[in-house]
Amino acid sequence: MTMDLASDLMAALRAAIGDDFVKQGSDIPVKHWSDATEMTPVCPKALLLPGSTAEVSAVLALCFKAGQPVVIQGGLTGLAAGAQPQEGEIALSLQRLNGIEEIDIESRTMIAFAGTPLHVIHEEAQKVGLHYGVDLGARGSCTIGGNVATNAGGVQAVRYGVTRRNVLGLEAVLSDGTVLTGLNKMLKNNTGYDWPQLMIGSEGTLGVITRVSLSLSPAPPAFQTALCAVSGVADAAAVLGRLEQIFPGRLVTFEGMWREYMDVTAKLGTLAEPFAERPEITLLIEAALGDGQEGQDLLAEALSTLMEEGRVQDAVLAQSLQDRQRFWAYREANYEFHHIMPAGEHFDISLPMNVMDAAIAHMRAATASEMPGSTFIAYGHMADSNLHLAVYPDASANDAAGSKAIVYDAVGMFKGSISAEHGIGMLKRPYLSRSRTPAELALMKSLKQTFDPAAILNRDRIFAAG
Amino acid sequence: MTMDLASDLMAALRAAIGDDFVKQGSDIPVKHWSDATEMTPVCPKALLLPGSTAEVSAVLALCFKAGQPVVIQGGLTGLAAGAQPQEGEIALSLQRLNGIEEIDIESRTMIAFAGTPLHVIHEEAQKVGLHYGVDLGARGSCTIGGNVATNAGGVQAVRYGVTRRNVLGLEAVLSDGTVLTGLNKMLKNNTGYDWPQLMIGSEGTLGVITRVSLSLSPAPPAFQTALCAVSGVADAAAVLGRLEQIFPGRLVTFEGMWREYMDVTAKLGTLAEPFAERPEITLLIEAALGDGQEGQDLLAEALSTLMEEGRVQDAVLAQSLQDRQRFWAYREANYEFHHIMPAGEHFDISLPMNVMDAAIAHMRAATASEMPGSTFIAYGHMADSNLHLAVYPDASANDAAGSKAIVYDAVGMFKGSISAEHGIGMLKRPYLSRSRTPAELALMKSLKQTFDPAAILNRDRIFAAG
């Protein structure tokens, strides 16, 4: 684009949504220079802040005509460099499309604008006795549009599924400005291709989500919390199956922390040991059994049964809110590991439950042999097959980048996923072929071409343009 | 195509999968001439019975080169003329791709070939203490591939969702013979576009599903069954919400039968009246509370509470298996209506719960005024927004076709769906625009072009070719 064309585009964008909402240069807040991936910040060419679906359509139509690449920004909490600007991109932020349009108590649905923070979705549902089933650590700043675009998972997927399961419909704007409105509110609706399903998890590469129609659930009873010691994945899987049998529909959280994770947690020195002996896996379990003694007794009885059956080695129940917070503190200790560990390499993978033990043993052995002195830790949303891994190099080594080959090779070998819930973005693009066949990748590129023929939307995310 | 090219194609098809599995003329069993839609049977040009994914690929590649239209057939239980042949089409049946490839108990997943009947999926899951969550009346003959291709719903969707929610991955063959294998077994897997999601519910127009990866659940406790009398949709919605609050994750069936449905059922003369006074809606409810007195007491207590709260007017609990069968007989009485009613027009629609009362009142009034003497009945999977309607004309009238305009206009007006679970096929194609915008329809046609550029797969289903 020549300078004149570029300035023409800026003038047209300003005319479309107003001078106050097209920012350039030093007027662009630094937070829009990066997402949460910890890459070098890049100032976008401009920041657009449209205030309606019509304005999103207007600015995209202009960028489409100009062949101007656009990076889409929600709450900027992504960890795969999806919303991180590249040189020359214009950033389109959904932050002004913020708020709840409708809560329909009879249909148990909510229609929200894409820029609404997740915690607002939770709070507004709670006010009418309902519940939105996706919850994640970034709830305070991530937005529902970003959650849908990345098919966010989180800590209650064992009960409520990932974001996909909680979305009934969408409104989205295609790269040429076409507005697609499919704000379905019904559980059953088989009327041609369910295009919103393709948009969910497409990381902003197929269109800009502007509104979402969400399915809400009845508010669950209060949660009971426990830590359990188990000897490996087979026992953990058995515990998962038995708990869902004993309390159908009540198990809401089932997280695993492997031995080395608890070793590093112990080194932090802030949390007492939960068990006399450190088990292979420490499970954090929550079940919606109601507060008070009755709920606690139900969980205690179930865990006693599982101990008698030899599946659980030891268990401890939260007796108070303080206990519950302390139990969660083990699971969230990883946020503190950087204080005592060298810079590590972090992963967000899935592995089928039946090969999880073998895959972890393989990666443990490979990091030990190829990266002597390194520390390999595993933890995460075990019931969803979703593990977070980190590999910390020996203090004398430069970095942990070599662990990428070990982990992604193992993911390929065990037919796992290189991205469970964070997405591909620009960060994991080189490894996508470990989880997808050439035929699948070719189809994905055809779909990108169909939706975004000029490749202006989140270019180079998921796969390289051209 | 000239005669020579046509005979060349047949010879090539025979060479690809063997003479025994390419049938023509009188060798084609009559069951392959139609599905369950009750249209005039059409003998397909040939019947192909491939025995593997590779053979499906081989025959599609040949048909693609020849521009030969192909109709895909599973269990032939569809009600929207999706698998009904058109003149000149070759039928491709998946019946030989039949069987379970893997049940993974730890991962709670099953990989099955597309032609496996639904009841086999249920039985094989049960054998290992697991449960497949989609159940429908056609379970004995419908196939899992057809269920996935049409996103089948059924009677347990309030608990387990529609087929989409129970599918983790697919293998499918594109029209040119390309094999796409994405047999994911993990709940969380965000690695680019989830193309199986687009294939689910696309009614065979985008590809031929050959294998499916299903998510299984722990086997639920035995069901308790009740009939409830309620005064309207608002109370029914309140009952639904309260039961899910009282028994989270235990409510498996929530069906509604409106007054006129019970009037016609009474005329059959085979079933005693469940209530002293006929209510606006009779609900059939099942909850997985375990068998025996304890489960029955739990349901009785919940229904007492709802009667005290004024939501339920009357209720009756099944005390035995015979009672349960009798309660279901009300819900299945519609299969007998044709014995005493004239030929009617049947519908499978969805309506958001908050407008269901108003929409039904509107359609009742419109059929009464525009089709004097007609009978309008409504029943179905109420918790899923899914109603089945039938309009029977007055005995002196010729037919009930005029009701299509009334029902589909109301669906459009109340933002419902013209097809909740049966799909569009050829039958409802003229009405698709009542539930989809022009922009959505244009996108769907682009997607069809991307997947099936020669439009050989289930041509004219969902929308007309070209």
Side-chain angles (χ1 to χ4, degrees):
Chain A
M1 201 185 312
T2 69
M3 187 64 81
D4 273 2
L5 284 173
S7 67
D8 283 356
L9 173 62
M10 286 303 155
L13 292 168
R14 287 177 186 281
I17 61 172
D19 279 341
D20 287 353
F21 303 114
V22 178
K23 300 193 183 297
Q24 286 186 276
S26 58
D27 284 346
I28 300 177
V30 173
K31 75 166 182 172
H32 292 280
W33 294 29
S34 59
D35 61 13
T37 318
E38 299 189 353
M39 285 173 67
T40 309
V42 172
C43 180
K45 192 164 141 187
L47 170 66
L48 308 179
L49 298 159
S52 66
T53 300
E55 289 192 355
V56 171
S57 168
V59 298
L60 283 182
L62 291 166
C63 291
F64 182 80
K65 274 184 208 140
Q68 169 61 50
V70 175
V71 58
I72 307 159
Q73 297 189 333
L76 292 160
T77 60
L79 293 165
Q84 160 89 28
Q86 296 187 98
E87 284 296 343
E89 287 181 333
I90 285 182
L92 190 167
S93 168
L94 278 301
Q95 70 188 52
R96 289 180 63 225
L97 271 75
N98 182 349
I100 311 294
E101 184 171 276
E102 175 195 286
I103 297 187
D104 175 350
I105 295 173
E106 278 191 322
S107 307
R108 295 191 295 195
T109 56
M110 177 191 283
I111 295 177
F113 290 97
T116 311
L118 176 59
H119 77 97
V120 174
I121 304 283
H122 287 158
E123 287 159 11
E124 295 300 316
Q126 274 163 20
K127 283 181 190 165
V128 296
L130 295 171
H131 179 70
Y132 176 66
V134 178
D135 190 25
L136 48 149
R139 68 184 73 80
S141 36
C142 68
T143 60
I144 192 67
N147 290 172
V148 174
T150 58
N151 190 26
V155 294
Q156 294 184 6
V158 63
R159 171 66 183 91
Y160 297 102
V162 295
T163 298
R164 181 182 303 286
R165 199 210 278 180
N166 298 276
V167 175
L168 292 169
L170 290 182
E171 178 182 76
V173 184
L174 298 183
S175 65
D176 66 357
T178 300
V179 178
L180 288 168
T181 303
L183 291 165
N184 170 56
K185 288 168 57 173
M186 298 161 290
L187 180 56
K188 290 185 183 164
N189 184 354
N190 283 342
T191 46
Y193 309 151
D194 201 343
W195 62 264
Q197 292 295 336
L198 194 61
M199 210 69 92
I200 297 168
S202 67
E203 303 185 38
T205 63
L206 299 181
V208 178
I209 293 166
T210 47
R211 283 190 288 173
V212 301
S213 174
L214 304 174
S215 170
L216 304 177
S217 309
F223 297 171
Q224 292 290 338
T225 310
L227 293 173
C228 294
V230 295
S231 70
V233 175
D235 280 344
V239 170
L240 172 62
R242 291 285 282 125
L243 288 177
E244 293 203 321
Q245 215 167 36
I246 298 170
F247 311 127
R250 303 267 184 149
L251 188 72
V252 290
T253 293
F254 193 94
E255 303 279 308
M257 297 165 277
W258 270 254
R259 178 186 298 274
E260 299 90 337
Y261 176 96
M262 295 302 281
D263 291 343
V264 179
T265 300
K267 283 185 196 150
L268 286 172
T270 51
L271 291 163
E273 289 288 336
F275 300 115
E277 281 185 57
R278 188 163 298 148
E280 170 68 2
I281 305 174
T282 302
L283 298 175
L284 172 68
I285 291 169
E286 294 209 300
L289 298 167
D291 47 14
Q293 197 58 44
E294 196 187 345
Q296 208 173 98
D297 290 349
L298 283 167
L299 186 53
E301 195 185 332
L303 294 177
S304 294
T305 304
L306 288 164
M307 286 177 74
E308 281 161 27
E309 291 173 2
R311 296 302 194 176
V312 169
Q313 298 170 320
D314 201 354
V316 49
L317 266 75
Q319 310 283 335
S320 62
L321 187 60
Q322 286 70 25
D323 279 354
R324 185 182 178 216
Q325 285 168 344
R326 184 166 55 85
F327 289 6
W328 272 98
Y330 294 105
R331 176 58 185 79
E332 288 162 358
N334 61 294
Y335 297 124
E336 311 301 324
F337 287 179
H338 67 275
H339 295 307
I340 59 167
M341 301 296 283
E345 196 67 43
H346 298 268
F347 302 92
D348 160 49
I349 66 168
S350 277
L351 289 163
M353 196 74 97
N354 67 325
V355 296
M356 199 180 274
D357 251 340
I360 285 187
H362 176 92
M363 291 186 285
R364 262 180 180 150
T367 48
S369 94
E370 293 172 41
M371 302 173 64
S374 65
T375 306
F376 168 87
I377 69 165
Y379 62 103
H381 318 301
M382 195 174 175
D384 320 330
S385 308
N386 177 188
L387 298 183
H388 298 305
L389 309 176
V391 183
Y392 299 101
D394 179 64
S396 64
N398 278 335
D399 64 60
S403 60
K404 285 187 184 181
I406 294 171
V407 171
Y408 291 134
D409 285 354
V411 166
M413 188 187 323
F414 290 98
K415 299 192 176 171
S417 165
I418 63 157
S419 169
E421 55 179 11
H422 295 169
I424 302 300
M426 293 188 282
L427 197 69
K428 290 176 233 167
R429 211 176 55 198
Y431 305 97
L432 186 55
S433 63
R434 308 298 171 97
S435 291
R436 294 292 195 173
T437 66
E440 287 183 288
L441 294 171
L443 177 66
M444 287 184 203
K445 287 180 184 175
S446 302
L447 288 168
K448 172 70 173 174
Q449 174 71 23
T450 301
F451 278 79
D452 181 17
I456 64 164
L457 291 181
N458 275 8
R459 183 182 281 182
D460 297 323
R461 280 75 176 180
I462 301 181
F463 29 67
Chain B
M1 200 185 309
T2 70
M3 188 65 79
D4 274 3
L5 284 173
S7 67
D8 283 356
L9 173 61
M10 286 303 154
L13 291 168
R14 288 177 186 282
I17 61 173
D19 279 340
D20 288 352
F21 302 114
V22 178
K23 300 193 183 296
Q24 285 186 276
S26 58
D27 285 345
I28 300 176
V30 173
K31 74 166 185 173
H32 292 278
W33 295 29
S34 59
D35 61 14
T37 317
E38 300 190 354
M39 285 171 69
T40 309
V42 172
C43 179
K45 192 164 141 186
L47 170 66
L48 309 179
L49 297 158
S52 66
T53 300
E55 288 191 356
V56 172
S57 169
V59 298
L60 282 183
L62 290 167
C63 291
F64 181 80
K65 273 183 209 140
Q68 168 61 52
V70 176
V71 58
I72 308 159
Q73 297 189 334
L76 292 161
T77 59
L79 293 166
Q84 160 88 28
Q86 296 187 99
E87 284 296 344
E89 286 181 335
I90 286 181
L92 190 167
S93 168
L94 279 301
Q95 70 188 53
R96 288 180 63 225
L97 271 75
N98 182 350
I100 310 295
E101 184 171 279
E102 176 195 285
I103 297 188
D104 176 350
I105 296 173
E106 277 190 323
S107 306
R108 295 192 295 193
T109 56
M110 176 191 284
I111 295 176
F113 290 99
T116 311
L118 177 58
H119 77 98
V120 174
I121 305 283
H122 288 158
E123 287 158 14
E124 295 301 315
Q126 274 162 21
K127 282 181 190 165
V128 296
L130 295 171
H131 179 71
Y132 176 64
V134 178
D135 190 24
L136 48 151
R139 67 184 73 81
S141 35
C142 68
T143 60
I144 192 68
N147 291 172
V148 174
T150 59
N151 190 27
V155 294
Q156 292 184 6
V158 62
R159 172 65 184 91
Y160 297 103
V162 294
T163 298
R164 180 182 304 286
R165 199 210 277 178
N166 298 276
V167 175
L168 291 169
L170 290 183
E171 178 181 75
V173 184
L174 298 183
S175 64
D176 66 356
T178 300
V179 178
L180 287 168
T181 303
L183 291 164
N184 171 56
K185 288 168 56 172
M186 300 161 288
L187 179 58
K188 290 185 183 166
N189 184 355
N190 283 342
T191 45
Y193 308 152
D194 200 342
W195 62 265
Q197 292 294 335
L198 195 60
M199 210 67 93
I200 297 168
S202 67
E203 303 186 36
T205 62
L206 299 181
V208 178
I209 293 167
T210 47
R211 282 190 289 174
V212 301
S213 174
L214 304 174
S215 170
L216 304 176
S217 309
F223 296 171
Q224 293 290 338
T225 310
L227 292 175
C228 294
V230 295
S231 70
V233 175
D235 279 345
V239 170
L240 171 63
R242 289 285 283 126
L243 288 176
E244 293 204 320
Q245 214 168 37
I246 298 169
F247 310 128
R250 303 267 184 147
L251 188 72
V252 290
T253 293
F254 193 93
E255 302 280 307
M257 295 165 277
W258 270 255
R259 178 186 298 275
E260 299 90 337
Y261 175 96
M262 295 302 280
D263 291 343
V264 180
T265 299
K267 283 186 198 151
L268 286 171
T270 51
L271 291 164
E273 290 288 334
F275 300 114
E277 281 184 58
R278 189 162 296 146
E280 169 69 3
I281 305 174
T282 301
L283 297 174
L284 172 67
I285 290 169
E286 294 209 300
L289 297 167
D291 48 13
Q293 197 59 43
E294 196 186 347
Q296 208 173 97
D297 290 349
L298 283 167
L299 186 53
E301 195 185 333
L303 295 177
S304 293
T305 305
L306 288 164
M307 286 178 74
E308 281 162 27
E309 292 174 0
R311 296 302 193 176
V312 169
Q313 298 171 319
D314 202 353
V316 50
L317 266 77
Q319 309 282 336
S320 63
L321 189 59
Q322 287 70 25
D323 281 353
R324 186 183 177 215
Q325 286 168 345
R326 186 166 54 85
F327 290 6
W328 272 98
Y330 294 105
R331 177 58 185 79
E332 287 162 359
N334 59 292
Y335 296 124
E336 310 303 324
F337 288 1
H338 67 276
H339 294 307
I340 58 166
M341 301 296 282
E345 196 66 43
H346 298 268
F347 302 92
D348 161 50
I349 66 167
S350 277
L351 289 163
M353 195 74 97
N354 67 326
V355 296
M356 198 180 275
D357 250 341
I360 285 187
H362 176 91
M363 292 185 284
R364 264 180 179 150
T367 47
S369 92
E370 294 173 39
M371 301 175 63
S374 66
T375 306
F376 169 87
I377 69 165
Y379 63 104
H381 318 300
M382 195 173 175
D384 320 331
S385 306
N386 177 188
L387 298 183
H388 298 304
L389 308 177
V391 182
Y392 299 101
D394 178 61
S396 64
N398 277 335
D399 63 59
S403 61
K404 285 187 184 179
I406 294 170
V407 170
Y408 292 134
D409 284 356
V411 166
M413 189 187 322
F414 289 98
K415 299 192 175 170
S417 164
I418 63 157
S419 169
E421 56 180 9
H422 296 169
I424 301 300
M426 293 187 282
L427 197 70
K428 291 177 233 165
R429 210 176 55 196
Y431 305 96
L432 186 54
S433 63
R434 308 297 170 97
S435 291
R436 295 290 196 173
T437 65
E440 288 183 288
L441 294 171
L443 176 67
M444 286 183 203
K445 288 180 184 175
S446 302
L447 289 168
K448 171 70 174 173
Q449 174 71 24
T450 301
F451 278 79
D452 180 17
I456 63 163
L457 291 181
N458 276 9
R459 183 182 281 185
D460 296 324
R461 279 74 175 179
I462 303 181
F463 30 67

